[in-house]
Amino acid sequence: SKKKGIYKPRKDKKYLKGRTYKDFENYMAQHPEASVVEMDTVYNDVSNGPFIQTFQFVKYHFMKGIFHACKNSDEMYKGVYLIYSALGEKDFKNLFEVILTDRGSEFVCAEDMEKLGCHVFYCDPMASSQPHVENNHNLFRYVCPSGADLKKIGLRSQEDVDLIFSHVNSYKRESLMGKSPIEVFNFFHDDSNILEKLEIKEIDSESIDLTVNLIKK
């Protein structure tokens, strides 16, 4: 049974103060080099999950996903904290200087997230043009089609999510001049073990599988 009140949107909009899309634009005008991560959730069954919290590193078109069994602000904070713990404070602050997300009730925990050293901003309601995580979500959907029972097709753990995004991030893009997000990321962070900390592996282009077969159990 659902916990009472978890899915109710926050009535007070205090969490938006200083964190609107306009505030985001102002921040970026003052810090044009800031690393921006767009945060979202992907799922098929709102009652039973699973729910994948996604993080798109805008500069690199690179995406990390976190597996959740339920969708609420505690879980979404935990997802951010998991990445913070994996990366360590320095790499987290460097990569997650800004988190941009939508106003879903699961993302209202801005204050808690900001204690980890990032700035959180929210898109305007109904402004679908603002974040652009869609491309990676479309590739994710080749493996986990909308309407499918994600558990039945094999999406049951963080390992499954890491496997999918290892393949998605290794897929070469026209928009990246024929490079993959992993190649672009490595170009800027060639001396780091960030991908290892994020549990994302480069897949040889001959072996990339963006079909349901990737996670079929």
Side-chain angles (χ1 to χ4, degrees):
S1 74
K2 286 183 201 165
K3 277 189 204 160
K4 202 171 170 225
I6 262 178
Y7 291 97
K8 281 187 190 154
R10 284 269 292 266
K11 290 286 183 284
D12 73 59
K13 294 282 196 281
K14 260 202 305 241
Y15 72 95
L16 290 173
K17 195 170 169 13
R19 299 191 183 101
T20 63
Y21 196 74
K22 190 89 196 102
D23 295 316
F24 165 71
E25 290 178 320
N26 292 340
Y27 185 89
M28 292 310 292
Q30 288 164 14
H31 308 86
E33 297 302 310
S35 176
V36 179
V37 175
E38 291 170 357
M39 178 169 66
D40 206 349
T41 354
V42 191
Y43 54 91
N44 285 353
D45 181 345
V46 72
S47 303
N48 303 303
F51 305 93
I52 311 308
Q53 182 179 13
T54 58
F55 299 91
Q56 161 110 329
F57 298 77
V58 174
K59 199 187 281 183
Y60 319 106
H61 295 245
F62 175 88
M63 186 171 269
K64 165 74 178 170
I66 299 283
F67 181 94
H68 296 281
C70 51
K71 177 169 93 87
N72 58 50
S73 59
D74 286 350
E75 286 296 305
M76 297 303 128
Y77 170 73
K78 266 186 214 158
V80 176
Y81 188 77
L82 266 174
I83 293 181
Y84 172 84
S85 304
L87 289 177
E89 186 178 8
K90 184 168 164 279
D91 283 338
F92 180 84
K93 281 183 169 175
N94 182 19
L95 287 170
F96 282 75
E97 182 172 343
V98 170
I99 295 179
L100 180 65
T101 189
D102 64 41
R103 299 185 183 193
S105 57
E106 73 270 33
F107 292 134
V108 296
C109 51
E111 272 182 35
D112 290 331
M113 291 190 280
E114 286 183 345
K115 284 176 187 158
L116 301 175
C118 56
H119 300 271
V120 178
F121 298 100
Y122 294 90
C123 293
D124 296 330
M126 314 309 285
S128 58
S129 64
Q130 286 172 2
H132 40 288
V133 298
E134 288 314 312
N135 192 9
N136 281 318
H137 282 174
N138 292 344
L139 294 170
F140 174 83
R141 285 301 186 189
Y142 290 161
V143 184
C144 298
S146 298
D149 181 327
L150 296 181
K151 282 181 197 153
K152 268 199 182 133
I153 63 171
L155 185 65
R156 296 177 200 154
S157 69
Q158 183 61 48
E159 286 68 38
D160 298 325
V161 174
D162 290 336
L163 177 65
I164 293 170
F165 281 113
S166 290
H167 283 252
V168 165
N169 287 312
S170 299
Y171 182 72
K172 297 180 191 300
R173 317 284 164 92
E174 269 178 46
S175 59
L176 297 175
M177 314 296 242
K179 301 279 183 212
S180 70
I182 284 183
E183 288 173 315
V184 175
F185 190 91
N186 281 336
F187 177 77
F188 288 98
H189 302 276
D190 61 336
D191 56 347
S192 76
N193 61 343
I194 291 171
L195 291 184
E196 217 173 289
K197 290 174 176 177
L198 292 174
E199 306 278 350
I200 300 289
K201 296 178 174 65
E202 187 164 14
I203 308 296
D204 174 68
S205 55
E206 301 296 306
S207 310
I208 291 172
D209 186 357
L210 292 176
T211 71
V212 180
N213 294 328
L214 182 62
I215 54 168
K216 266 212 170 122
K217 301 286 189 283

